[in-house]
Amino acid sequence: MTKQIIFAIALVVTLGVFAFTVYRIIGFFRFTKPAFPVKDLGKRFGITFRVAIGQTKIFRKPVIGFFHALVFWGFCVILIGSIEMIIDGLSGTERVLKVLGRLYDVIVASGDVFALVVAVCILIFLSRRLFFHIKRFEGIEMKHSTHIDANIALTMILLLMLSLLGMNTAYCGNKFISGEIAEGVYPVSSMVATFFNGTPASFHTAYEVCWWTHILLILVFANMLPYSKHFHVFMSVPNVFLSRLDPLGKLSNMDSITREVKLMLDPQAAMDAPTGDAPVERFGVKDVEDVSWKNYFDALSCTQCGRCTSVCPANITGKRLSPRKVIMDVRARMNEKGPGLVKNGKEYSDNKSLLRDIITEEELWACTTCNACAMECPININHPTLIVDMRRYLVMEEASAPGELKAVFSNIENNGAPWQFSSEDRLLWTKDLEMNVR
Ligand code: SF4
Ligand code: SF4
């Protein structure tokens, strides 16, 4: 009973802290702008199954992608065991899901094997970060604290797997010594248990130590994740489900501009159409309160893996642009300005902005909108839409654009085409041509 009470208190504290974090993040979302309607659910489930559960995009880097996919699938199986531990902890039962019979054996055996597989994969990930020079993990956005954050999270996952294996090993050892039949099948732990001698009491103590270590690590880890890059453990699957379904490269029109154009082409029809619009507060994105909820969702989900930056032609050719940085900047800026917005309302200003103070014009204009980053991102983050929206702010609110583009804009305005020739001269090139007209 004491164990149940202590566990219940730990769980309530965990849920309380987690609820506070979720409440805080939802408060930030309130200041974001609409993106697109979430419809086509069938298509969305298909993408989620393929990209998130099937981990298809992660296999673009086959070896390390395979290890990452193993970790993801391992987490999915081990999660069932964690749910069982929570039920056991609250109710005082032991291995409550054993009622599932043969299925339970399969789940437990997979979890036991995956605990070892995930531990090995995490050791590989950690050694890559600590001892190898991986270009993808470097860049101006990858600060010392970013690496520490990743290493702490990986170490915690490693400890989670080791405590799980320790728990299973002590459980098997206890059953062997006392001649009882274990609930479930433990291919790895039952083998490891044969290397240990002990009494039922010592195995029981080891089991309890590992049980508490494992469950407390889960509770602490769950509350660390939202403040870490490993928030993607929670966010990546929903982010894939909420993917932008438009083809990559299709830029969405701005409703306010579309209306203006329609008004010019057909004033009466445009006037008759229901507008229902409030005055446009801002064209494009200047600061974090101008981004859409999807941009912010992307920012919270980003794994900081750098796959986007590693394929970005601007970055590869030495420009300052890093699509990963753009996404990370949105999250960092919301952490910086969000509390002030929540406290003082949307008029709040800290005399800084995402654009210029954090993301420079040079970075934005370096983008070719090739969409390689969005294509490569394993969780379907879309960088170019955000970059284009920041450019829209520059052009439409500040008339700020590189000189070459300004010339194009004025040509379009004056000549109806990007070239510096009048449309009336368009067919001059045919003047000296001899044509046979029948
Ligand atoms: S945006 Fe996507 S590809 Fe780029 S670092 Fe984040 S998760 Fe990785
Ligand atoms: S769309 Fe822009 S940011 Fe993305 S890869 Fe191409 S150039 Fe880089």
Side-chain angles (χ1 to χ4, degrees):
M1 193 63 183
T2 314
K3 180 178 172 181
Q4 285 166 257
I5 293 171
I6 296 172
F7 180 73
I9 292 171
L11 190 62
V12 168
V13 171
T14 301
L15 293 177
V17 177
F18 193 75
F20 168 77
T21 305
V22 171
Y23 176 75
R24 180 173 177 271
I25 292 173
I26 289 174
F28 295 166
F29 268 108
R30 279 183 27 235
F31 289 92
T32 57
K33 297 276 187 293
F36 44 79
V38 180
K39 47 188 188 183
D40 295 326
L41 295 188
K43 207 169 177 183
R44 290 185 181 281
F45 279 114
I47 290 176
T48 307
F49 193 75
R50 204 173 58 248
V51 175
I53 311 295
Q55 296 275 291
T56 43
K57 290 177 88 175
I58 214 103
F59 282 111
R60 286 171 193 258
K61 294 194 182 295
V63 179
I64 207 68
F66 179 63
F67 292 145
H68 192 282
L70 286 176
V71 171
F72 174 79
W73 294 326
F75 265 38
C76 294
V77 175
I78 290 168
L79 179 67
I80 302 172
S82 306
I83 292 170
E84 180 188 46
M85 286 179 74
I86 290 173
I87 299 171
D88 283 346
L90 285 174
S91 61
T93 50
E94 189 183 285
R95 309 213 168 237
V96 69
L97 295 184
K98 64 189 174 199
V99 292
L100 297 174
R102 280 266 174 246
L103 179 60
Y104 185 70
D105 290 346
V106 174
I107 293 170
V108 170
S110 317
D112 196 50
V113 173
F114 266 126
L116 178 65
V117 171
V118 172
V120 172
C121 291
I122 296 294
L123 276 174
I124 294 170
F125 295 164
L126 263 175
S127 40
R128 267 163 56 89
R129 286 185 168 271
L130 292 173
F131 307 118
F132 294 93
H133 173 77
I134 308 289
K135 192 165 183 297
R136 194 154 56 84
F137 297 148
E138 292 172 2
I140 44 170
E141 67 276 25
M142 301 303 281
K143 308 203 167 53
H144 184 59
S145 57
T146 319
H147 291 294
I148 301 251
D149 170 35
N151 291 340
I152 289 177
L154 288 174
T155 307
M156 287 197 75
I157 298 173
L158 181 62
L159 292 175
L160 273 168
M161 295 305 116
L162 293 180
S163 56
L164 178 58
L165 285 170
M167 193 175 88
N168 289 348
T169 302
Y171 176 76
C172 292
N174 195 357
K175 295 295 174 188
F176 291 160
I177 293 285
S178 47
E180 295 172 15
I181 296 173
E183 301 290 354
V185 179
Y186 302 85
V188 176
S189 301
S190 58
M191 204 167 62
V192 178
T194 57
F195 293 103
F196 291 96
N197 284 322
T199 61
S202 62
F203 275 121
H204 179 72
T205 306
Y207 176 83
E208 286 296 317
V209 169
C210 290
W211 192 93
W212 277 104
T213 307
H214 187 71
I215 202 74
L216 289 178
L217 276 171
I218 290 177
L219 301 184
V220 171
F221 195 48
N223 274 311
M224 278 174 58
L225 288 180
Y227 300 92
S228 144
K229 99 180 186 81
H230 279 77
F231 199 19
H232 72 266
V233 172
F234 290 147
M235 300 294 284
S236 55
V237 176
N239 195 60
V240 172
F241 181 79
L242 296 169
S243 297
R244 184 177 183 262
L245 297 182
D246 286 335
L248 292 180
K250 180 183 174 192
L251 294 177
S252 56
N253 288 332
M254 297 173 76
D255 290 343
S256 47
I257 303 297
T258 307
R259 241 182 338 266
E260 289 290 322
V261 173
K262 282 184 179 165
L263 198 64
M264 286 193 310
L265 295 175
D266 186 354
Q268 193 52 48
M271 295 292 266
D272 293 344
T275 57
D277 46 18
V280 180
E281 291 171 5
R282 176 162 288 152
F283 293 104
V285 169
K286 179 187 182 192
D287 207 348
V288 78
E289 65 271 25
D290 305 321
V291 304
S292 72
W293 64 263
K294 184 61 175 73
N295 295 142
Y296 184 45
F297 211 101
D298 281 347
L300 290 175
S301 312
C302 176
T303 69
Q304 299 175 8
C305 65
R307 284 171 164 80
C308 51
T309 298
S310 70
V311 296
C312 171
N315 188 276
I316 291 168
T317 51
K319 314 286 188 306
R320 281 192 64 181
L321 174 63
S322 162
R324 170 176 56 190
K325 174 180 176 292
V326 172
I327 299 299
M328 287 172 68
D329 285 345
V330 170
R331 183 173 177 180
R333 177 63 181 148
M334 187 59 102
N335 284 341
E336 183 180 52
K337 191 174 181 185
L341 287 169
V342 171
K343 194 168 167 204
N344 304 301
K346 65 178 180 179
E347 302 307 327
Y348 170 73
S349 166
D350 57 0
N351 297 319
K352 283 171 69 178
S353 63
L354 180 65
L355 206 162
R356 292 216 175 80
D357 287 303
I358 299 169
I359 301 174
T360 62
E361 287 181 65
E362 184 187 342
E363 288 168 74
L364 297 176
W365 292 114
C367 177
T368 64
T369 60
C370 65
N371 276 281
C373 50
M375 174 80 91
E376 193 69 14
C377 178
I379 55 171
N380 281 359
I381 285 175
N382 194 296
H383 322 65
T385 50
L386 177 60
I387 292 173
V388 167
D389 278 341
M390 282 195 268
R391 288 181 183 177
R392 283 172 165 168
Y393 168 80
L394 286 170
V395 172
M396 293 201 282
E397 296 235 356
E398 297 190 358
S400 171
E404 302 90 324
L405 277 180
K406 279 186 180 162
V408 169
F409 293 150
S410 66
N411 287 336
I412 290 174
E413 199 174 337
N414 297 327
N415 307 326
W419 302 282
Q420 53 179 333
F421 306 108
S422 162
S423 55
E424 287 162 11
D425 299 338
R426 192 171 284 165
L427 291 178
L428 284 184
W429 64 277
T430 61
K431 194 162 51 90
D432 299 325
L433 290 181
E434 289 181 14
M435 295 191 206
N436 284 331
V437 181
R438 295 187 185 186

